[in-house]
Amino acid sequence: MTIHLSNHAKGLIAVGRPQTAYAVHQTLFSLDVPANVATTDKIALGVLPAFCSISDALLFGEGALGAATANIGFMSGPVDSTDDARTSGSELYAALALNASFARLTKGDALLMPSADVDRAIGLSGFSAALVGAAGKRLHLLLSFRAT
């Protein structure tokens, strides 16, 4: 099992933080699909800043991603951790087809999650089939969030 990190999760690209309470901000998180993503792997794709709550989300793929599905939700542990013990939930999407054109937030759980005093990773897990990376295969998450 491997945890793959996007540049945002690695801390290489900063996530904008809302300066006004309840003002909605958006960030587009993107990741080139790694060479081989096993069904047991996890991908830390996005970051929800500390003291923020989700307002909406839109997940979409680029390139032929096959018929794989995955759960998308909050990951345990520090955002940049590659610890195999990390878990990843399904608060945003459950068994979502990754080859879908666009998938707007499908679960209310994400909207009801209270803010936390730490940044939180949003990840993919529970893949129904392995993903094979290649040029032009990317995952994108457009996350809308607000300071609360």
Side-chain angles (χ1 to χ4, degrees):
M1 200 274 302
T2 302
I3 295 182
H4 307 277
L5 303 174
S6 70
N7 285 336
H8 283 93
K10 290 177 186 174
L12 299 175
I13 301 174
V15 178
R17 297 178 184 277
Q19 301 300 313
T20 306
Y22 302 104
V24 176
H25 295 261
Q26 289 184 321
T27 298
L28 179 63
F29 301 101
S30 299
L31 175 76
D32 292 324
V33 175
N36 292 297
V37 179
T39 57
T40 57
D41 287 358
K42 295 177 180 73
I43 297 175
L45 179 59
V47 179
L48 180 66
F51 305 105
C52 289
S53 298
I54 292 177
S55 297
D56 198 5
L58 180 67
L59 186 86
F60 58 102
E62 183 179 345
L65 297 176
T69 63
N71 298 322
I72 296 97
F74 290 104
M75 296 184 73
S76 64
V79 169
D80 61 351
S81 172
T82 55
D83 182 355
D84 287 349
R86 287 183 81 179
T87 61
S88 184
S90 61
E91 294 86 358
L92 281 75
Y93 305 92
L96 178 72
L98 298 179
N99 64 353
S101 297
F102 292 96
R104 186 152 304 278
L105 186 65
T106 58
K107 295 181 69 181
D109 299 2
L111 300 175
L112 300 174
M113 290 290 293
S115 63
D117 61 356
V118 295
D119 291 351
R120 291 181 284 176
I122 296 175
L124 291 82
S125 65
F127 297 97
S128 64
L131 297 178
V132 178
K137 290 186 178 185
R138 302 188 78 193
L139 290 169
H140 305 280
L141 175 66
L142 179 61
L143 187 68
S144 301
F145 53 91
R146 65 193 182 286
T148 52

